[in-house]
Amino acid sequence: MKVFVIDVAKCSGCYSCQLACKNEHVGKDWTPYAKPQPQTGHFWMKIKETEHGSIPKVKVEYRPTLCMHCDDASCIKAAKDGAVYRRKDGLVIIDPEKAKGQKQLVEACPYGAIYWNEELNIPQKCTGCAHLVDEGEVPRCVDACAHEAIKFGEEEELADLIAKAEVMQPELGLRPRVYYLNLPGFFVAGDVYDPVSDEIIEGAEITLNNKQTGESWTTKSDDFGDFWFKRLKSGQYSLDIKMSGYKPIQISDIAVDKSVNLGSLSLERE
């Protein structure tokens, strides 16, 4: 069974995969797998660009996204007359003939991976470049990635990577066949300084606590006074800062539903 494994840490946001998908499908008829993709409005492979944090603590995430080719695909359930089917190799295909007029398939996908072609009156999405796979080739997005951030192959061959990866919205229970490595999650960051000397403080001990799970992480401010806690899940956190010669401080309520820059935190001398 085929799978995609995408390493977000390797993605530079060059958009080559997105452009290659367009080049492969716009104006080209790959019946029985797909009719031509419109020149605008469709992104069967799309780079989702997300800015985390605020200046100067900012990280940019580039995440290639496509049809998840789910084992328990909601689009298959929503389709009439077998208009959506799963191939033996795991790729999920919308039959462009049977799917005519079935606009409900657009809303059926919780990942937003299905688009409506108004001119052809059909729903469309990534086919995994099934026409190329049939010829023993890889999807165009995989071939176009200069950093090998997107891999495609047999589940058994990529098992070691899959074991370290995660899927989007696992709570939906759809069992996606697109796996992601090194998703950044959220971060909590800031810096510490001495307001009297107006100098940064290096080596301060900073501890972040997840108030819901009880987990905690400790780091030290670097030679710029900065600290970072990365790959965090959403939740309620608290932060403790200790440094010899200074009074400890605590920030008791940090709501992490996005990345948080706490800014410059001053320590008072004892």
Side-chain angles (χ1 to χ4, degrees):
M1 297 284 278
K2 302 293 187 183
V3 296
F4 287 86
V5 179
I6 299 174
D7 191 340
V8 175
K10 292 182 178 180
C11 180
S12 65
C14 72
Y15 286 79
S16 290
C17 58
Q18 184 172 307
L19 293 171
C21 178
K22 283 288 191 184
N23 180 261
E24 186 66 25
H25 292 281
V26 171
K28 297 176 182 177
D29 191 328
W30 298 117
T31 300
Y33 300 127
K35 292 294 185 182
Q37 181 186 139
Q39 190 167 12
T40 60
H42 284 217
F43 296 97
W44 300 0
M45 165 59 83
K46 181 178 183 178
I47 296 292
K48 288 188 176 179
E49 183 176 326
T50 305
E51 292 182 6
H52 295 275
S54 58
I55 295 173
K57 302 290 191 298
V58 177
K59 297 290 184 182
V60 180
E61 171 194 354
Y62 300 104
R63 184 185 303 179
T65 58
L66 64 161
C67 167
M68 298 294 163
H69 297 280
C70 306
D71 277 345
D72 193 20
S74 56
C75 57
I76 292 179
K77 297 176 182 177
K80 301 175 183 177
D81 304 319
V84 186
Y85 63 95
R86 181 184 300 101
R87 298 188 351 153
K88 289 182 179 180
D89 63 4
L91 293 177
V92 175
I93 304 295
I94 296 177
D95 187 310
E97 296 297 334
K98 293 182 179 180
K100 285 183 178 179
Q102 296 200 39
K103 199 169 185 177
Q104 79 277 6
L105 295 180
V106 176
E107 297 300 325
C109 177
Y111 297 105
I114 300 178
Y115 298 83
W116 184 250
N117 186 321
E118 195 69 43
E119 181 181 354
L120 299 180
N121 194 36
I122 56 173
Q124 294 181 289
K125 68 171 189 66
C126 161
T127 66
C129 284
H131 61 290
L132 294 178
V133 175
D134 286 350
E135 300 298 322
E137 300 181 42
V138 296
R140 277 293 303 279
C141 59
V142 177
D143 184 58
C145 183
H147 302 289
E148 298 186 350
I150 309 172
K151 294 184 181 297
F152 176 82
E154 296 296 333
E155 190 171 11
E156 296 78 12
E157 296 172 355
L158 298 172
D160 289 346
L161 293 177
I162 291 172
K164 298 180 286 186
E166 55 189 301
V167 297
M168 294 292 97
Q169 297 179 260
E171 68 277 5
L172 296 175
L174 302 180
R175 291 180 291 153
R177 302 192 69 77
V178 176
Y179 295 88
Y180 288 89
L181 290 165
N182 298 311
L183 288 170
F186 302 124
F187 68 73
V188 171
D191 61 84
V192 291
Y193 74 103
D194 183 329
V196 175
S197 64
D198 196 27
E199 297 284 347
I200 63 95
I201 297 175
E202 180 183 354
E205 182 179 278
I206 300 106
T207 301
L208 184 72
N209 307 287
N210 186 313
K211 298 170 71 173
Q212 292 153 305
T213 67
E215 294 176 280
S216 65
W217 304 267
T218 298
T219 189
K220 290 189 176 182
S221 56
D222 63 19
D223 49 2
F224 294 100
D226 293 333
F227 63 87
W228 297 78
F229 294 95
K230 301 177 181 179
R231 302 195 69 185
L232 302 174
K233 296 186 181 299
S234 60
Q236 294 293 322
Y237 293 79
S238 64
L239 187 84
D240 295 284
I241 302 178
K242 297 178 181 178
M243 180 65 183
S244 177
Y246 293 86
K247 295 180 180 179
I249 63 172
Q250 181 183 69
I251 302 174
S252 58
D253 291 300
I254 304 172
V256 176
D257 53 7
K258 59 182 180 181
S259 293
V260 177
N261 173 19
L262 295 172
S264 296
L265 306 173
S266 62
L267 296 187
E268 183 181 347
R269 293 178 183 270
E270 290 185 327

